[in-house]
């Protein structure tokens, strides 16, 4: 995994991020078990940048991410 500085912060973000829109269920039914497996795999591969927003499943994506 490649990393880059994140703005003026003392943090290097992974160049590949995890988009959390689908785990919120906005595109249809999504299994929490599948979402957790995908998120854990991304983290295992070095991903440390997760894109999310409160509107992704009315906060569901954040709740799933919080479980990890």
């Amino acid at each position: 995994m490649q990393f880059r500085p994140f703005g003026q912060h003392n943090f290097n973000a992974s160049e590949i991020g995890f988009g959390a829109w689908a785990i919120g269920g906005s595109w249809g039914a999504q299994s929490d078990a599948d979402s957790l497996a995908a998120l854990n795999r991304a983290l295992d591969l070095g991903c440390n940048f997760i894109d999310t927003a409160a509107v992704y499943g009315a906060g569901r994506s954040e709740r799933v991410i919080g479980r990890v």
Side-chain angles (χ1 to χ4, degrees):
M1 182 69 69
Q2 301 290 319
F3 298 88
R4 294 183 184 202
F6 189 79
Q8 300 296 318
H9 305 283
N10 187 23
F11 176 75
N12 289 320
S14 55
E15 289 183 351
I16 298 173
F18 184 92
W21 183 16
I23 69 174
S26 297
W27 276 12
Q30 180 63 35
S31 156
D32 283 353
D34 289 344
S35 297
L36 291 168
L39 185 53
N40 276 302
R41 180 68 176 145
L43 294 171
D44 289 345
L45 293 171
C47 178
N48 67 1
F49 184 81
I50 301 171
D51 170 54
T52 189
V55 298
Y56 294 176
R60 180 175 176 208
S61 65
E62 287 84 357
R63 289 189 297 276
V64 172
I65 292 164
R67 291 172 55 187
V68 174

